[in-house]
Amino acid sequence: MSSVLGIVSEYNPFHNGHLHHLIESKKAVGADYSVAIMTGNFTQRGEPSLIDKWSKTRMAIESGIDLVIELPTIYAISSAENFSSGAIKILDSLDIVDFISFGSECNDISVLSEIANVLSDEPDDYKTLLNHELQKGESFAKAREKALMMYLNDVRRFANVLSYPNNILGIEYLKALNKQKSFIKPITIKRTAANHNDTIPSKHSKFASGSAIRNLCYANDIESMQNFMPQKTYDILNLNIRKGNIVNGLSAFDKEIIYTLRKMSTLEIANLPDVSEGLEHALKSAANECNSVIELLSLVGTKRYAKTRLQRILLYALLGITKKDMAMSTGVKPYVRVLGFNSKGRDMLSEISKRNPRLELVSSVKKFMDYTPNRNLALMMEKDIWATNVYTLGYEYESKANLDFTHKIITY
């Protein structure tokens, strides 16, 4: 099989920046085939996807991706480290992927690799510096950045690299490749024009961040979104908007989240991933005093706990994901859940099956749940099924359950 490009994505929604990244990545490595490991109905920022995973799959395939595989929910809403680890484990298990490409602000794979190597090996001197910074009360992210600067002792080369989200995620991909001893070769494409966290799009650019595009949608400024998306993906999004099948942020689940936290004991909240240092008491108290996610986050938020971390904790509560579940996810090789493909993707699936006859390749969720002997993977799939059932509660109109059993794979 000719060169195969792998991409890890959220496509929430697919926009011009994603298209630029895909085109430039294919060009850089001469790839004839492409596969995306894509988050489903919830994302790594601890938020619901604007549109459902099958609509995102249509966007991706219409834009040039040949095969879309779902990143299981338990990874999709994890920390950057586990998010990346899950995605790389899937890409590596396919045994056909030659390259992985990710966007970065740094655009220097050697710089990112040097940082990844330190974080993978964790030398004693680095760990001492990190503990010293943590004892000052810094958040882990800020403490890690300061410790790395001191350890690497080259501020000019490494300054601010860890201040940008795409750099951080890229470093985690590199760490995961190291851990897997993968032969997949990493490349990076410079992120252009719009920053990842920009909330307002520029009127003088065809590029806007996913956050800015989602904000336009929340504000019902539908026409403006068209400037920043390929026409076919805009049409898919617009159809979902007209049908009421979009989810306007985590606040769409205000009542469900508050209800869940009020129902849970403090001990149960303490058993959620990322909850530590008595945070369970603050969460329980806030849930008892407020009526919305925004209020809750304002009551609990401190510089030690990033907003995205807190939002992920709320999703863990809503979706019933525990520390034990998260620990399990770090030690297993995930199934390969196919969401969609075109003719090239069909050829890729044939080659994957030929090379990996024992790989858990899922085209039917029912068959998988009926016959898999692996209880850990069955539990992981149960979380995906439940995530979809919860997700549709955020729709304005119809809200059907069990779509993972009834929705067909997207084919072109």
Side-chain angles (χ1 to χ4, degrees), residues 77-78 272-274 312-321 326:
I77 61 173
S78 289
L272 297 174
D274 287 347
R312 287 197 296 271
I313 290 170
L314 299 185
L315 285 186
Y316 298 145
L318 185 62
L319 302 180
I321 294 172
M326 193 63 72

Side-chain angles (χ1 to χ4, degrees), residues 303-343:
K303 72 171 186 176
R304 193 166 181 84
Y305 299 107
K307 180 184 177 184
T308 52
R309 176 180 172 180
L310 293 173
Q311 288 179 167
R312 287 197 296 271
I313 290 170
L314 299 185
L315 285 186
Y316 298 145
L318 185 62
L319 302 180
I321 294 172
T322 66
K323 286 177 176 172
K324 182 180 178 182
D325 298 331
M326 193 63 72
M328 174 274 292
S329 75
T330 66
V332 301
K333 181 180 290 186
Y335 43 77
V336 178
R337 166 81 185 281
V338 178
L339 291 179
F341 54 84
N342 59 18
S343 59

Side-chain angles (χ1 to χ4, degrees), residues 194-195 197-203 207-209 211-213 215-216 228:
N195 291 320
N197 290 322
D198 285 351
T199 56
I200 301 173
S202 169
K203 296 179 180 179
F207 295 107
S209 70
S211 297
I213 293 171
N215 285 338
L216 289 174
F228 310 109

Side-chain angles (χ1 to χ4, degrees), residues 26-286:
K26 285 182 174 180
K27 190 187 304 181
V29 301
D32 298 311
Y33 296 85
S34 58
V35 53
I37 310 300
M38 188 186 75
T39 58
N41 292 324
F42 292 92
T43 71
Q44 203 269 330
R45 296 163 67 96
E47 296 175 340
S49 179
L50 182 62
I51 55 175
D52 71 273
K53 58 192 178 187
W54 293 284
S55 295
K56 293 196 297 182
T57 297
R58 287 193 183 279
M59 287 183 168
I61 297 175
E62 287 278 9
S63 302
I65 295 289
D66 301 312
L67 172 63
V68 179
I69 293 167
E70 181 176 5
L71 181 63
T73 302
I74 202 164
Y75 298 110
I77 61 173
S78 289
S79 65
E81 183 175 29
N82 203 38
F83 174 98
S84 302
S85 177
I88 294 300
K89 282 192 282 190
I90 294 174
L91 273 181
D92 195 61
S93 72
L94 302 181
D95 203 26
I96 65 167
V97 178
D98 301 293
F99 300 92
I100 177 174
S101 175
F102 55 86
S104 71
E105 296 84 0
C106 168
N107 198 35
D108 188 332
I109 201 75
S110 64
V111 167
L112 300 175
S113 293
E114 283 190 55
I115 294 175
N117 290 338
V118 173
L119 295 179
S120 294
D121 299 338
E122 290 199 314
D124 289 341
D125 288 350
Y126 162 72
K127 286 194 286 189
T128 299
L129 291 167
L130 177 62
N131 288 332
H132 180 71
E133 292 302 318
L134 287 171
Q135 287 169 10
K136 293 180 180 179
E138 296 281 8
S139 68
F140 179 80
K142 183 56 68 175
R144 182 175 67 172
E145 182 177 7
K146 288 183 176 180
L148 274 167
M149 289 303 96
M150 288 184 281
Y151 179 81
L152 292 167
N153 197 28
D154 190 343
V155 174
R156 179 173 295 181
R157 181 169 166 78
F158 298 101
N160 298 320
V161 172
L162 287 177
S163 299
Y164 294 97
N166 289 280
N167 289 344
I168 293 171
L169 205 49
I171 289 165
E172 293 299 339
Y173 295 142
L174 296 171
K175 283 173 57 184
L177 289 169
N178 290 341
K179 186 176 181 180
Q180 289 295 313
K181 296 180 172 59
S182 176
F183 291 105
I184 298 173
K185 184 178 179 181
I187 68 164
T188 187
I189 304 295
K190 185 169 180 60
R191 189 176 177 92
T192 59
N195 291 320
H196 179 77
N197 290 322
D198 285 351
T199 56
I200 301 173
S202 169
K203 296 179 180 179
H204 308 293
S205 173
K206 65 177 182 178
F207 295 107
S209 70
S211 297
I213 293 171
R214 291 191 296 276
N215 285 338
L216 289 174
C217 189
Y218 302 155
N220 205 32
D221 189 356
I222 311 304
E223 286 189 13
S224 293
M225 292 190 299
Q226 194 166 7
N227 299 325
F228 310 109
M229 302 176 67
Q231 185 61 46
K232 288 182 179 179
T233 65
Y234 170 78
D235 291 342
I236 292 168
L237 176 58
N238 200 23
L239 177 62
N240 277 272
I241 292 170
R242 293 202 307 270
K243 291 167 64 177
N245 288 354
I246 60 168
V247 179
N248 288 326
L250 198 56
S251 292
F253 304 103
D254 275 344
K255 296 296 186 289
E256 290 87 350
I257 288 171
I258 299 299
Y259 164 80
T260 300
L261 289 173
R262 287 185 179 182
K263 186 178 180 184
M264 294 174 75
S265 68
T266 305
L267 187 61
E268 287 172 324
I269 296 173
N271 199 33
L272 297 174
D274 287 347
V275 173
S276 61
E277 301 169 319
L279 181 58
E280 64 272 19
H281 299 290
L283 287 165
K284 184 68 174 177
S285 175

Side-chain angles (χ1 to χ4, degrees), residues 1-4 32-35 66-68 94-96 338 340-356 361 411-412:
M1 176 165 278
S2 301
S3 181
V4 177
D32 298 311
Y33 296 85
S34 58
V35 53
D66 301 312
L67 172 63
V68 179
L94 302 181
D95 203 26
I96 65 167
V338 178
F341 54 84
N342 59 18
S343 59
K344 284 187 176 182
R346 187 177 289 108
D347 293 340
M348 293 168 70
L349 288 170
S350 177
E351 185 67 19
I352 291 166
S353 297
K354 190 186 303 181
R355 296 192 190 186
N356 306 274
L361 194 60
T411 57
Y412 281 79

